[in-house]
Amino acid sequence: MSLLTDRRAPAAPAPRPLRAEVLRGFAPGAGSAVLLTLGVLLAGSAARWQGGWAETAAQTHVTGLIAGPLAAAAGCWQGGRERRRRTEELWGTVVRSPLARLLAAALPVALWTAAGYLAAAGLAMLATWPYAQGDRPHPGLLPGDTVAVAAAALLGHVVGRVVPTRLAAPLLAIAGYVGLGVLSASTSGSARHLDPAFPITDTDVPVWWQPLSMAVWTAGLAFAAVLAYAARRRVTALLPLAAAVAAGAVLTQTGDGLWHETPLARRQVCDTSTTPAVCVNARYAGMLPQLTDALSGVTGRLEGVRNLPVRWEERGHESHDAEAQLPGLTPLGWSVVRGRLTDPEQFAWEATAALQRRPDCLHPTERMSLADDAVAGYLAPSPARKTFDDIDARGDAADRAGLRKRLAARAALAAMGEEERRDWLSAYFATAGTCDVRGVPAL
């Protein structure tokens, strides 16, 4: 009996403040706020990136312009918590070192805000996956961006400890947003390459070590500030500061060499079953059947016609004699949304204009204008053309006379026999690229 009564209760486990901060309190809410904010911003601009892997990567990268300042503000608010609670003196009596106490409060916010950014980027990729038309995911920038968000939270925590005002958090967010915005808007100067949210195009791919250098640059500054504020030997802050300076020097000295063009941007995928053939950038290879179908009315009417360009190509250069410029699919959100053409008729009309390839003639002759209009109306009838005709029909005498001539020219081309029309179109396309259609029979 005495043994039972003398048995002592087991000792309570030692408190784990870091675990408590991670699982409860402000940190999970800060991460949720980052996720919700970025989710709303990405959803609002979904038409511009959903369906293209490169566009998705560029858009999630540039949201660092919001995620970084938001994480810094969250860290700053957490850093001023003890001052608001008036428990600074109480915390000064505990056994743990000032550095351990700071990290126990700061790391959870840094981890949760970084996780919020990473979750938003992951959800954006999931939203793109059903609509992607080629290419592959571009996660190369995520490590550097995620570390930059966590580093912003750590820096913000130190500011919250140092600046004794409740306005520190919103003011820090505003300052961070303005500072990153100025760097992002800069088109020259090496300092812009230190911007974690440096804007990129949808064909830019970082060299393999760029995210690593960016992570060292941002994390080095954050840990230098933490050690300078809370370490017993503040000289230790020189080590992460030196690493940050070295990484920053590499980023600024390399400059535009940090990026290269994705190989797929230089590749074309073609459907040669039609004349002209239809070629599209390999990043959107999945759209090729859709484009061919949209142009089927044009290519069907051109069957047997000579002197045509060999193909339509989606390129960013001037078309050569053997090719015509395919109407642009990018930037997404205009002619293409979520992997679908928004207006196939308009696309066919623009492709027909590219076949005509008229230079900027200062004084086009009436014969040239009538021939161009008749060909465009025959190959790619467009609702917009009827709208312009209705406007001219309600115009003055000159407008109505011009409309009558255009309608007569269109009717003459449509009334030709198939062989006659093929010969006429062959003669017409022989003059494409010039300002002279004298070799084309009159309509």
Side-chain angles (χ1 to χ4, degrees):
M1 181 66 67
S2 61
L3 292 175
L4 293 176
T5 56
D6 292 338
R7 183 177 298 171
R8 297 179 178 179
R16 297 179 179 177
L18 181 60
R19 183 180 178 213
E21 293 279 4
V22 169
L23 299 179
R24 297 187 298 274
F26 178 73
S32 300
V34 171
L35 174 59
L36 180 61
T37 302
L38 299 188
V40 171
L41 292 175
L42 288 170
S45 60
R48 298 199 301 267
W49 55 265
Q50 195 174 9
W53 287 118
E55 288 82 358
T56 301
Q59 189 65 31
T60 54
H61 169 69
V62 82
T63 55
L65 193 63
I66 299 298
L70 187 58
C76 185
W77 186 257
Q78 179 78 338
R81 179 181 62 178
E82 306 309 328
R83 185 184 303 109
R84 293 192 303 274
R85 293 177 176 178
R86 299 181 180 179
T87 57
E88 290 177 295
E89 293 183 3
L90 179 62
W91 271 104
T93 63
V94 301
V95 178
R96 290 184 175 86
S97 67
L99 179 60
R101 297 198 304 268
L102 184 147
L103 291 177
L107 284 179
V109 176
L111 294 175
W112 271 102
T113 52
Y117 171 80
L118 198 59
L123 290 174
M125 289 185 177
L126 287 177
T128 285
W129 178 69
Y131 306 103
Q133 299 298 319
D135 205 354
R136 55 177 177 75
H138 292 241
L141 288 169
L142 283 180
D145 293 345
T146 305
V147 171
V149 172
L154 288 177
L155 282 171
H157 191 94
V158 175
V159 173
R161 293 275 184 122
V162 173
V163 180
T165 174
R166 291 175 179 265
L167 294 177
L171 290 176
L172 181 62
I174 294 172
Y177 179 76
V178 172
L180 290 178
V182 170
L183 284 176
S184 297
S186 176
T187 57
S188 61
S190 57
R192 62 197 177 103
H193 296 289
L194 298 176
D195 179 9
F198 180 76
I200 60 174
T201 69
D202 55 11
T203 60
D204 287 338
V205 177
V207 295
W208 67 268
W209 48 265
Q210 190 274 345
L212 177 62
S213 298
M214 184 59 69
V216 174
W217 159 245
T218 55
L221 291 179
F223 280 109
V226 167
L227 293 175
Y229 175 79
R232 290 176 179 173
R233 296 181 178 179
R234 296 183 178 180
V235 70
T236 55
L238 293 177
L239 182 60
L241 182 60
V245 171
V250 170
L251 291 171
T252 55
Q253 292 299 319
T254 307
D256 292 334
L258 295 168
W259 313 93
H260 61 86
E261 187 181 42
T262 177
L264 282 182
R266 297 187 292 270
R267 284 183 51 200
Q268 300 277 314
V269 179
C270 299
D271 183 348
T272 58
S273 63
T274 64
T275 302
V278 182
C279 299
V280 68
N281 190 279
R283 295 192 298 135
Y284 309 103
M287 291 195 65
L288 189 56
Q290 186 182 163
L291 303 182
T292 302
D293 183 65
L295 297 175
S296 60
V298 178
T299 55
R301 293 182 178 92
L302 289 176
E303 186 174 357
V305 175
R306 302 178 302 278
N307 302 318
L308 294 172
V310 174
R311 57 190 167 270
W312 282 288
E313 284 198 356
E314 190 200 7
R315 291 187 181 274
H317 58 66
E318 294 293 331
S319 298
H320 301 297
D321 291 341
E323 64 187 38
Q325 184 77 40
L326 190 74
L329 304 181
T330 57
L332 300 183
W334 294 92
S335 60
V336 176
V337 174
R338 296 180 181 87
R340 304 296 301 176
L341 282 175
T342 57
D343 191 343
E345 290 183 344
Q346 176 69 16
F347 185 83
W349 181 83
E350 292 178 3
T352 299
L355 288 180
Q356 293 172 312
R357 307 197 309 283
R358 291 293 178 198
D360 295 330
C361 300
L362 297 178
H363 303 287
T365 63
E366 181 181 62
R367 181 176 180 178
M368 181 190 306
S369 299
L370 290 176
D372 289 347
D373 178 80
V375 171
Y378 172 71
L379 294 180
S382 171
R385 186 175 301 277
K386 185 178 185 304
T387 300
F388 290 124
D389 289 347
D390 292 340
I391 294 174
D392 287 342
R394 296 190 297 268
D396 56 22
D399 292 334
R400 294 194 298 272
L403 175 61
R404 286 193 296 271
K405 291 180 180 180
R406 292 198 302 274
L407 292 176
R410 295 174 200 170
L413 181 60
M416 291 181 181
E418 291 188 8
E419 189 65 31
E420 180 186 7
R421 186 164 50 243
R422 278 197 295 268
D423 291 340
W424 189 93
L425 288 172
S426 297
Y428 170 83
F429 281 110
T431 68
T434 71
C435 289
D436 186 4
V437 292
R438 286 178 294 182
V440 180
L443 289 172

